[in-house]
């Protein structure tokens, strides 16, 4: 029987996504394209491994490399798990006639304006919004809807480039000092509510896993160098079914895709209205994948990869009340030089992922999905989980670990 091959766009290190181990005994051979930072980690384990400098931005270089690879090692599937790769992977499938998420589907799950257009008129609540091509578009939106409102890039991730505008003075300052071009942005009404997210997996067109979570702090907390946490909701909580059902409706309104993980963000107002924020056809960022694995036993990235390669060997878990004993926290760096890392973690820490190292100088948080250190924790209940989050934050942000770097 002829072995099959999957092209993988790999934006994470091998230790986090060991694709060779996940595909072992599956009959599918991985071919990996990654950045120079992660190349050595993959190349030690995977024969067909390629490095692309300027991985995030060089689309032309990526497609040229893919063509060279295809001439040598034709691939049967294409897989990626990062936001930056969703559209690129879909375009590669289109070029070579490979099944999987289409370019149109990828754009709808990536472009915040297109996804709202898909949902407009459906049984899903949206805040008022408008695409932005000029400063006049923002001013007209303000005239129609008033303050406050949010300006955000249509294609960015991790809450990067998001601005909350509360007055004409703030708008004038944004337009004057922002380095971003306003073209390609989205403006929408600010929603006064708590943010939740729902993560899950679709396999062969069927929902195999879904779980709502509450954010502890919000997606802009990194700007104050504060942590962001994630705690699963219990199935007996009213919001669990409301959030899960809303997410199912949203997916039904989006372009059909047979195999994909999803990460959907929703606001819940004081009146208990659920308002759509955005949805992505990928696994959640930060420590969310690790959290799902620790609490349920499901490695959602591995299960998605195997589904994409038509390998049906995964057992999908049912909800269990013990899920509520878990949570994860992502802690950004402080402003300064990291002198040392903690040698001991607070009680309850089950898993830790480090992205930084001692001796490096940091400028604080960069975006919500990036962190210096992340933990999955376990405790008796959600309140105790949140207490451990604070202990983890203090453990690394203790002043003894940092040296201020002044401007001489």
């Amino acid at each position: 029987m002829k072995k099959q091959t999957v092209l993988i766009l790999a934006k994470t290190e091998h230790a986090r996504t060991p694709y060779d181990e996940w595909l072992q005994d599956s009959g599918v051979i991985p071919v990996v394209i990654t950045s120079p930072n992660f190349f050595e980690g993959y190349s030690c384990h995977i024969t067909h491994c390629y490095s692309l400098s300027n991985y995030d931005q060089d689309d032309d270089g990526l497609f040229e490399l893919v063509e060279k690879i295809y001439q040598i090692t034709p691939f049967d599937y294409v897989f990626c798990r990062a936001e930056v790769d969703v559209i690129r992977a879909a375009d590669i499938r289109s070029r070579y006639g490979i099944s999987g998420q289409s370019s149109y589907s990828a754009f709808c799950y990536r472009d915040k304006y297109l996804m709202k257009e898909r949902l407009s008129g459906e049984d899903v609540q949206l805040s008022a919004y408008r695409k932005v091509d000029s400063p006049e578009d923002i001013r007209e939106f303000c005239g129609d809807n008033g303050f406050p409102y949010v300006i955000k890039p249509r294609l960015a991730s991790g809450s990067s480039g998001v601005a909350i505008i509360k007055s004409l003075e703030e708008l004038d300052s944004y337009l004057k000092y922002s380095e971003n071009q306003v073209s390609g942005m989205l403006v929408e009404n600010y929603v006064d509510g708590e943010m939740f997210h729902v993560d899950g997996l679709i396999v062969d067109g069927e929902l195999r896993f879904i779980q709502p979570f509450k954010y502890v702090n919000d997606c802009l907390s990194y700007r104050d160098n504060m942590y962001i946490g994630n705690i699963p909701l219990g199935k007996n909580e009213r919001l669990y079914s409301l959030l899960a059902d809303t997410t199912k409706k949203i997916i039904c309104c989006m372009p059909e895709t047979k195999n994909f993980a999803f990460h959907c963000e929703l606001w819940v107002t004081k009146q208990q209205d659920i308002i759509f924020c955005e949805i992505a056809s990928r696994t959640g960022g930060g420590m969310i994948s690790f959290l799902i694995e620790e609490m349920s036993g499901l490695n959602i990235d591995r299960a998605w990869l195997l589904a994409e390669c038509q390998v049906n060997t995964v057992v999908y878990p049912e909800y269990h009340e013990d899920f509520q004993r878990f949570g994860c926290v992502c802690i950004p760096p402080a402003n300064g030089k990291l002198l040392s890392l903690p040698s001991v973690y607070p009680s309850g820490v089950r898993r830790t992922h480090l992205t930084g190292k001692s001796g490096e100088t940091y400028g604080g948080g960069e975006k919500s999905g990036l962190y210096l250190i992340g933990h999955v924790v376990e405790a008796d209940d959600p309140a105790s989980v949140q207490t451990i989050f604070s202990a983890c934050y203090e453990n690394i942000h203790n002043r003894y670990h940092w040296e201020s770097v002044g401007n001489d």
Side-chain angles (χ1 to χ4, degrees), residues 61-72:
L62 173 65
F63 295 135
E64 289 175 9
L65 178 56
V66 168
E67 175 60 24
K68 291 177 182 176
I69 292 170
Y70 193 79
Q71 296 304 319
I72 300 169

Side-chain angles (χ1 to χ4, degrees), residues 76-78 89 93-94 96-102 258-259 308 310:
D76 303 280
Y77 311 105
V78 179
R93 294 188 193 100
S94 176
Y96 299 99
I98 293 171
S99 62
Q101 186 176 33
S102 69
K258 287 184 66 175
N259 301 303
E308 197 73 79
Q310 300 181 23

Side-chain angles (χ1 to χ4, degrees), residues 12 16-17 22 81 197 199 209 213 230 261-263 282-302 304 328 330 351 371 376:
T12 44
R16 179 166 190 157
T17 46
W22 293 352
R81 66 174 299 279
H197 63 96
D199 291 76
F209 179 81
F213 298 83
N230 313 79
F262 58 86
H263 174 72
R282 56 164 173 83
T283 47
M287 295 288 290
I288 293 171
S289 293
F290 290 142
L291 170 57
I292 291 172
E293 184 174 13
E294 288 294 325
M295 75 187 197
S296 73
L298 175 67
N299 185 314
I300 198 166
D301 292 309
R302 175 182 177 272
W304 178 18
C328 67
C330 293
R351 188 168 187 169
Y371 52 91
V376 177

Side-chain angles (χ1 to χ4, degrees), residues 184-321:
M185 305 291 278
L186 176 81
V187 58
E188 63 183 7
N189 272 355
Y190 175 83
V191 178
D192 185 12
E194 285 188 288
M195 178 72 82
F196 293 77
H197 63 96
V198 182
D199 291 76
L201 183 66
I202 303 288
V203 175
D204 202 23
E206 296 184 11
L207 180 67
R208 298 301 181 93
F209 179 81
I210 189 168
Q211 174 63 46
F213 298 83
K214 179 180 179 179
Y215 279 119
V216 179
N217 295 329
D218 60 40
C219 296
L220 297 179
S221 298
Y222 73 91
R223 294 182 176 179
D224 297 319
N225 299 344
M226 195 60 188
Y227 70 82
I228 183 169
N230 313 79
I231 294 180
L233 297 185
K235 207 167 187 177
N236 59 339
E237 298 180 64
R238 178 173 174 270
L239 275 178
Y240 183 103
S241 58
L242 291 176
L243 292 167
D245 290 346
T246 299
T247 302
K248 292 174 190 176
K249 282 184 200 173
I250 290 164
I251 291 172
C252 286
C253 295
M254 298 292 282
E256 184 178 359
T257 301
K258 287 184 66 175
N259 301 303
F260 69 102
F262 58 86
H263 174 72
C264 182
E265 294 184 330
L266 303 161
W267 286 290
V268 178
T269 68
K270 292 178 182 178
Q271 295 75 33
Q272 297 292 286
D273 291 326
I274 298 177
I275 300 176
F276 174 75
C277 177
E278 58 192 62
I279 186 169
S281 56
R282 56 164 173 83
T283 47
M287 295 288 290
I288 293 171
S289 293
F290 290 142
L291 170 57
I292 291 172
E293 184 174 13
E294 288 294 325
M295 75 187 197
S296 73
L298 175 67
N299 185 314
I300 198 166
D301 292 309
R302 175 182 177 272
W304 178 18
L305 170 67
L306 293 179
E308 197 73 79
C309 296
Q310 300 181 23
V311 178
N312 300 310
T313 58
V314 176
V315 177
Y316 298 97
E318 298 289 335
Y319 171 83
H320 193 281
E321 61 183 12

Side-chain angles (χ1 to χ4, degrees), residues 157-177:
S157 63
S159 299
S160 58
V162 173
I164 300 173
I165 307 297
K166 301 176 183 177
S167 67
L168 283 173
E169 291 76 17
E170 289 188 6
L171 175 58
D172 290 339
S173 177
Y174 173 83
L175 294 174
K176 181 177 180 180
Y177 296 107

